Amino acid sequence: FSFQDGQKHYTGVLTLEKVTLEMKKDWQNNDREAHKAENVFYIIDGQQRLTTSIILIKVLLDNLELEKNLEDTDGIKWFDDSTKLDTIKTRYIGDKNQHGTNYYFFGYTFDNPSFEFLKTEIFGDKTLATSSYEGKQTLYTQNLLRAKEFFEEKVSKLESIEYKKSIFKKLTKQFKFNVYEVDKETDVFMAFETMNNRGKPLSKLELLKNRLIYLSVKLENPDLRVAINDCWKSIYWYLGKDKDNLLDEDDFLRDHWIMYYGYKEDKDAPTFDKYLVNKRFSIKRITHKNSQFGLITPDEIEKYILSLKECVKHWYYLHNIEQSVYSNEVKILLDKFKRLRYGVFKPLIMTVFTKKERLS
């Protein structure tokens, strides 16, 4: 925030897709009436920048709320004499509907593991604590929490209220986005992949999820899309279950790839992520009968994501043996492997436990 007051700061492109009435039908029972808004958009590109900005806005407002309470004043005035802190909260974070239910201008769809976490832990909506929110954390909710804690620490060290208000004003008035709304003819999933293959990309796990959902849409199989989201919920949860020892998603995806498709030592072979996205789950497999693997089918995708969902639990146990459901004898043996850092044995051990669970 080193730029001057009144100076615009270019923050990049926001690529949006307007939510249609048909799309709203899929989540209108879970979105706390957000579907009733006239203009609702999916964020195709720019989500991380918006998420970071919203978290910082909330931290600044919470801190200034504390300042207001300490001074026992009638609200902090901002850009003009009539604008006060409570008004600003309803302008940038959210408000209550006619039934007294909280709603928010920014959030996730209900099938995202961060759906309730953002509202409960970041926005501080305690009305959810006794409803659908279970308090589960994932690899991505940990990132949200770390961002909030980071900003809280930095803002708490700022002594001047005027400087805090200056940061807020720059954040809300001087950031400049180029907003691009994709049209109906644009393939949203491919636009997502293209944009995130430039600059700093999303994780391999996220890009694989996007590709699988894209294929499920092309196969006109909505149940498959639900299954994919459910699978990724499990993956996120296990990878972030131990907040002091977050597990690496690329390591898991690589080990599962070795287990599921087999490893062949070939210097010209593609890396695991290129194999999954560019070959096994290639877009060409929708229409090309003569491709290496033939036409893609819902059954093939379903079996793959089922294996991912089954294996992530055991992969978690390999890193957290004491929490596993294995016998004491097995735990002792695993501990010996773990002290040797497992070497190349993790995919093999994961295979054994997964198959054993299926047979039991």
Side-chain angles (χ1 to χ4, degrees):
F1 294 93
S2 59
F3 53 95
Q4 300 297 314
D5 287 344
Q7 177 185 352
K8 295 295 183 182
H9 177 72
Y10 181 65
T11 324
V13 177
L14 285 180
T15 307
L16 309 176
E17 177 195 16
K18 189 165 185 177
V19 177
T20 64
L21 290 174
E22 189 62 30
M23 293 175 181
K24 290 180 181 180
K25 291 179 182 178
D26 294 334
W27 39 267
Q28 64 183 17
N29 293 326
N30 301 277
D31 68 353
R32 300 167 73 82
E33 299 194 6
H35 65 280
K36 293 183 178 179
E38 182 177 351
N39 292 312
V40 183
F41 295 91
Y42 286 127
I43 303 168
I44 300 172
D45 187 48
Q47 179 176 305
Q48 293 178 352
R49 278 165 288 159
L50 282 183
T51 304
T52 304
S53 299
I54 289 293
I55 293 174
L56 179 53
I57 286 173
K58 182 63 169 62
V59 168
L60 284 166
L61 291 177
D62 286 346
N63 185 274
L64 288 165
E65 178 71 35
L66 177 63
E67 300 280 4
K68 184 188 78 170
N69 291 336
L70 288 175
E71 295 181 5
D72 194 28
T73 61
D74 186 26
I76 298 174
K77 297 180 180 180
W78 288 63
F79 309 127
D80 55 58
D81 290 340
S82 61
T83 307
K84 296 185 179 180
L85 190 60
D86 292 339
T87 304
I88 292 175
K89 286 183 179 180
T90 61
R91 181 182 297 173
Y92 291 102
I93 302 297
D95 204 347
K96 294 182 182 293
N97 61 26
Q98 59 182 346
H99 305 296
T101 303
N102 295 328
Y103 66 85
Y104 301 94
F105 304 127
F106 176 85
Y108 299 94
T109 55
F110 72 92
D111 55 0
N112 188 299
S114 303
F115 172 66
E116 298 289 14
F117 186 90
L118 178 74
K119 290 183 282 189
T120 304
E121 304 297 340
I122 305 302
F123 293 155
D125 188 346
K126 300 307 179 184
T127 63
L128 297 172
T130 56
S131 59
S132 59
Y133 180 64
E134 299 177 358
K136 291 183 178 180
Q137 295 191 24
T138 71
L139 190 64
Y140 287 91
T141 59
Q142 284 292 329
N143 290 339
L144 293 175
L145 194 58
R146 278 200 298 269
K148 181 184 179 185
E149 291 171 347
F150 172 82
F151 286 135
E152 285 176 336
E153 179 185 0
K154 297 296 182 182
V155 171
S156 68
K157 294 178 181 179
L158 302 176
E159 296 182 358
S160 167
I161 292 179
E162 290 304 317
Y163 185 56
K164 295 173 188 175
K165 291 163 63 175
S166 173
I167 292 175
F168 182 90
K169 187 173 182 179
K170 290 178 179 179
L171 181 62
T172 57
K173 302 291 184 180
Q174 294 174 228
F175 273 22
K176 180 177 179 60
F177 292 93
N178 282 343
V179 179
Y180 172 70
E181 183 180 340
V182 299
D183 54 37
K184 294 180 180 179
E185 286 70 37
T186 301
D187 195 318
V188 172
F189 293 100
M190 290 312 300
F192 176 87
E193 286 192 19
T194 301
M195 291 169 183
N196 286 286
N197 277 323
R198 303 171 317 193
K200 183 179 179 181
L202 291 183
S203 71
K204 298 175 177 63
L205 191 64
E206 275 293 283
L207 290 174
L208 176 60
K209 176 188 177 185
N210 180 73
R211 173 56 60 82
L212 294 176
I213 291 179
Y214 172 83
L215 293 174
S216 73
V217 171
K218 292 300 182 183
L219 291 168
E220 299 182 351
N221 193 317
D223 291 339
L224 185 57
R225 179 170 182 169
V226 172
I228 293 166
N229 281 317
D230 185 58
C231 171
W232 255 251
K233 276 186 182 180
S234 295
I235 294 174
Y236 293 146
W237 187 67
Y238 276 109
L239 293 180
K241 188 175 180 182
D242 183 354
K243 64 181 181 180
D244 297 321
N245 182 30
L246 300 178
L247 299 180
D248 189 278
E249 55 192 66
D250 288 351
D251 287 348
F252 166 66
L253 201 56
R254 184 187 298 107
D255 283 345
H256 181 269
W257 166 70
I258 293 172
M259 183 208 83
Y260 196 80
Y261 290 114
Y263 174 75
K264 296 180 181 179
E265 191 165 345
D266 181 354
K267 65 178 182 178
D268 296 322
T271 57
F272 74 94
D273 54 313
K274 299 297 183 184
Y275 173 87
L276 290 171
V277 174
N278 297 340
K279 288 185 173 291
R280 180 58 68 169
F281 298 111
S282 167
I283 297 168
K284 293 181 180 179
R285 294 191 60 201
I286 291 287
T287 56
H288 287 58
K289 295 182 179 180
N290 296 325
S291 65
Q292 182 180 356
F293 305 109
L295 290 174
I296 191 79
T297 65
D299 184 61
E300 179 182 348
I301 299 175
E302 187 174 356
K303 287 180 179 178
Y304 175 71
I305 61 174
L306 176 61
S307 178
L308 280 172
K309 187 176 180 179
E310 291 174 337
C311 288
V312 69
K313 175 177 65 175
H314 296 290
W315 201 77
Y316 174 80
Y317 287 155
L318 294 184
H319 294 83
N320 299 273
I321 299 170
E322 69 285 351
Q323 299 180 34
S324 72
V325 294
Y326 310 139
S327 67
N328 288 333
E329 183 180 5
V330 170
K331 288 181 180 179
I332 291 172
L333 292 173
L334 286 177
D335 187 61
K336 293 179 179 179
F337 274 112
K338 186 178 181 181
R339 278 185 277 134
L340 295 172
R341 298 186 179 180
Y342 287 112
V344 297
F345 292 102
K346 266 194 293 186
L348 178 61
I349 297 171
M350 192 164 56
T351 302
V352 172
F353 285 131
T354 304
K355 287 190 174 181
K356 183 177 182 296
E357 186 174 53
R358 286 184 180 182
L359 294 173
S360 60

